[in-house]
Amino acid sequence: PPPPAAAAAAGRGGSPDGDGEHGESGGPSLWDEVEGLYTESASLRRSVGMALLSVVGFGAIRFVPHSFSIARRISEPHIMVRARHHNGTYSVYDDFREAYWWLRDETPRDSRVMAWWDYGYQISGVANRTTLADGNTWNHEHIALLGKCLVSSEEASHAITRHLADYVLLWTTRHNGMAADDLAKSPHMARIAGSVYPDINAQAFYLGKDGTPSKMMEESLLYRLHGWGLDEKIAPLQHFEEVYTTSHKMVRIYKVRDVSAESKAWRQQHGPGYPPALEEVLKTSKAFQQIHGL
């Protein structure tokens, strides 16, 4: 017969050398002990269940009001903004619709509006005016040209814009305490423009932490139109004329002076494409190289 120690090991399902399922010591594992304790103790099972229920309940309590808050925000009309003040009251800002209706009612039907592509659908749908770009503009080089017009100096921009547009529209919501406007987006515009036009140095186009613009930004058309008449440091405009600013200064519209009638007639006659007057500008561009994975 086997020795007593070997028989005991065999009875536990192990080997005489102690290499069974319970480990080298031959005793139950920690998990087995916890499982056994959980199985045998009803009070422990109740405590664990209550703890899990509390966690799920706390999450639900937090999630439900969060869902209602998000629902209210995404159900707001996209061209109207409702803001809540510290005292709990609300204000509705209707500046975007106001600007689009002004374009619809006060500009010729064949007017072309230059604005960043984000607002293209709203300009065409609400204002019923032609826009240079919208959310379905997949031509990166075209968006880059639009960005170049906005981040270049007034003089350089006008040399291009006068062949493309009759009006320029900007979102200037920071004048009403909402910072996410065209000035905030402008460094991104500069990066897109610089990816196609080497003369645009996106690294030099920025707004400092204290709100001070870089020299390139300060000289740009976008910055000048954004603050003209509201910032006394901005010199008078030479090639653009302010024609409308909304009630809360959230949208500003400028008329392009000395628009090229020849280029406009060419566009009406030939359809999509750039007029011959922009040939030299387009020659300075380089094909955009997509960075895969970004």
Side-chain angles (χ1 to χ4, degrees), residues 50-116:
M50 290 298 295
L52 292 175
L53 188 61
S54 299
V55 171
V56 172
F58 179 75
I61 291 172
R62 296 290 301 274
F63 180 73
V64 170
H66 172 73
S67 299
F68 278 103
S69 174
I70 293 295
R72 282 193 298 270
R73 273 184 261 173
I74 64 177
S75 64
E76 296 285 352
H78 287 186
I79 62 172
M80 298 175 69
V81 178
R82 185 173 67 161
R84 183 177 180 179
H85 303 291
H86 294 297
N87 60 5
T89 60
Y90 288 90
S91 292
V92 176
Y93 299 108
D94 194 23
D95 289 47
F96 304 127
R97 183 221 40 93
E98 181 186 336
Y100 301 142
W101 280 17
W102 186 90
L103 283 172
R104 181 195 66 183
D105 298 336
E106 303 295 335
T107 63
R109 291 183 62 83
D110 65 348
S111 296
R112 303 158 300 168
V113 182
M114 185 175 81
W116 192 233

